[in-house]
Amino acid sequence: PVPVLYGVFLFMGIASLATNEFWHRFKMLFMQPSRLPEVPYTKYVPLRKQHLLTGIQIFIFILLTIFRSVKVVAIAFPVIIKLCIPVRMFCLPKIFTEEELALLDGEDEEIDEVVDRFQKEGGHSVRRPDQDGPSAFDYTAGDNEHDGLGAVLRHRTRSERRLTYPTHEEEKRDVKILPK
């Protein structure tokens, strides 16, 4: 029966989302930069580049869905799918570096190769000098930045971010006594 097949395919699709990198990057669109997972592309690729690739992939997905749903052009759906190959091979390398594409969209061997090369070179990022604007990993806050609850947020490196509360001495130091 067809509904049983639909149920099986729906279950298989939902179960496989946990291993789909595109799904992880889509969820990262809605995450705070401090909550990003520790994976190679979050360490070495600027956040806006990650979001740019995810946006391009979402656009192509929507385009493919539209082509599939319009009856007049639905017959050309396989041709449209094949047009995604030149986009990946020729258009994306003009926007992203080879290393960024390998980290964002490469096979495990490619990713390991790029990460090993970066670690041998001292763990540098793939950010090019001509890229302006801060990425999520360039942010460094002052030591006494207070949030609304009175907690002190201390940012050192991405791996050392933590939330600590001020000591009694720090609270007394921050209290200002106004003259009468």
Side-chain angles (χ1 to χ4, degrees):
V2 176
V4 173
L5 285 176
Y6 286 155
V8 169
F9 288 133
L10 179 65
F11 173 76
M12 289 172 48
I14 291 173
S16 69
L17 280 179
T19 60
N20 190 323
E21 188 175 312
F22 172 70
W23 177 249
H24 288 288
R25 282 190 285 111
F26 177 75
K27 290 190 314 184
M28 285 172 45
L29 289 171
F30 307 102
M31 284 185 191
Q32 295 175 359
S34 62
R35 301 281 186 190
L36 295 176
E38 285 285 334
V39 290
Y41 61 85
T42 59
K43 287 182 181 179
Y44 299 107
V45 179
L47 187 61
R48 66 183 172 87
K49 289 283 193 148
Q50 296 171 38
H51 291 337
L52 178 62
L53 180 66
T54 305
I56 291 170
Q57 289 177 328
I58 290 170
F59 174 74
I60 291 173
F61 174 73
I62 291 170
L63 197 65
L64 290 173
T65 304
I66 291 170
F67 269 100
R68 188 181 56 90
S69 63
V70 175
K71 299 290 182 196
V72 177
V73 292
I75 193 76
F77 184 72
V79 175
I80 303 301
I81 290 284
K82 288 182 183 178
L83 288 177
C84 292
I85 296 170
V87 168
R88 169 61 173 91
M89 292 178 65
F90 301 113
C91 296
L92 290 182
K94 294 180 183 200
I95 301 171
F96 302 96
T97 65
E98 181 181 326
E99 292 88 4
E100 289 170 340
L101 279 176
L103 290 169
L104 288 167
D105 194 37
E107 298 295 324
D108 290 340
E109 296 82 24
E110 281 181 284
I111 294 170
D112 292 340
E113 201 175 283
V114 171
V115 169
D116 288 343
R117 186 168 9 121
F118 286 153
Q119 288 176 347
K120 286 178 186 174
E121 294 174 2
H124 81 77
S125 165
V126 293
R127 284 181 61 101
R128 294 187 304 248
D130 60 335
Q131 292 174 326
D132 56 343
S135 75
F137 310 107
D138 296 334
Y139 179 72
T140 305
D143 283 339
N144 290 321
E145 187 175 315
H146 293 283
D147 68 1
L149 301 174
V152 177
L153 197 56
R154 290 190 174 98
H155 297 275
R156 289 188 178 83
T157 65
R158 189 181 183 302
S159 61
E160 295 176 341
R161 290 184 185 180
R162 66 184 187 273
L163 187 65
T164 59
Y165 292 92
T167 63
H168 184 65
E169 289 78 27
E170 288 175 333
E171 284 179 352
K172 284 179 15 183
R173 184 185 66 215
D174 291 339
V175 173
K176 293 180 181 166
I177 301 173
L178 297 175
K180 291 184 180 185

